[in-house]
Amino acid sequence: DGVTTLTAELPGDGDVRSTVDAVTDAYPSVRLAAKRQVDRPVETDAGFRERLGDRLSERQTTVLRAAYHAGYFEWPRDTTAEELADSVGVSAPTLHNHLRNAEGKLLTAFFEDAPAGENGDR
């Protein structure tokens, strides 16, 4: 019972016409209001790691790297938090604190630093 604006982003080689046709077939009252081509700077994996590395403390980087290489993020886990904490010389609560802080910074870099519109509505 209202009006909304939907913004869709397609890859550069995406077929805009077939996408619009698919949407209008499903929702006949929809209309294409505008079409734009936007050039976005491409960030390399190395650039992302460098930018993120500037945000993480040395201890967060150490704990995150150790957790990754020890299979802590796998399911089922290849190691427990207690084993991982022992391997990096911290208590389990401290390990969890470092991991949560590092994960928060990773997610912030991924979602909030994306060019406007890349990660949906906020």
Side-chain angles (χ1 to χ4, degrees), residues 18-114:
S18 66
T19 302
V20 171
D21 288 345
V23 172
T24 56
D25 286 348
Y27 304 96
S29 63
V30 170
R31 68 179 180 83
L32 177 64
K35 175 184 149 187
R36 294 180 199 85
Q37 182 170 339
V38 178
D39 292 325
R40 299 199 189 278
V42 176
E43 182 174 45
T44 64
D45 291 345
F48 178 77
R49 282 192 296 273
E50 182 180 329
R51 183 168 51 87
L52 185 60
D54 293 341
R55 294 179 181 190
L56 295 174
S57 72
E58 185 176 327
R59 192 51 138 170
Q60 289 167 347
T61 301
T62 298
V63 168
L64 198 58
R65 182 177 287 121
Y68 175 77
H69 288 294
Y72 184 75
F73 299 112
E74 300 297 322
W75 186 257
R77 289 186 168 140
D78 293 340
T79 189
T80 67
E82 291 75 19
E83 292 167 337
L84 185 57
D86 285 344
S87 75
V88 294
V90 298
S91 68
T94 299
L95 174 94
H96 285 289
N97 185 44
H98 287 309
L99 281 176
R100 270 192 304 278
N101 288 329
E103 289 166 346
K105 290 176 182 179
L106 278 169
L107 293 170
T108 297
F110 186 80
F111 289 115
E112 290 185 6
D113 292 351

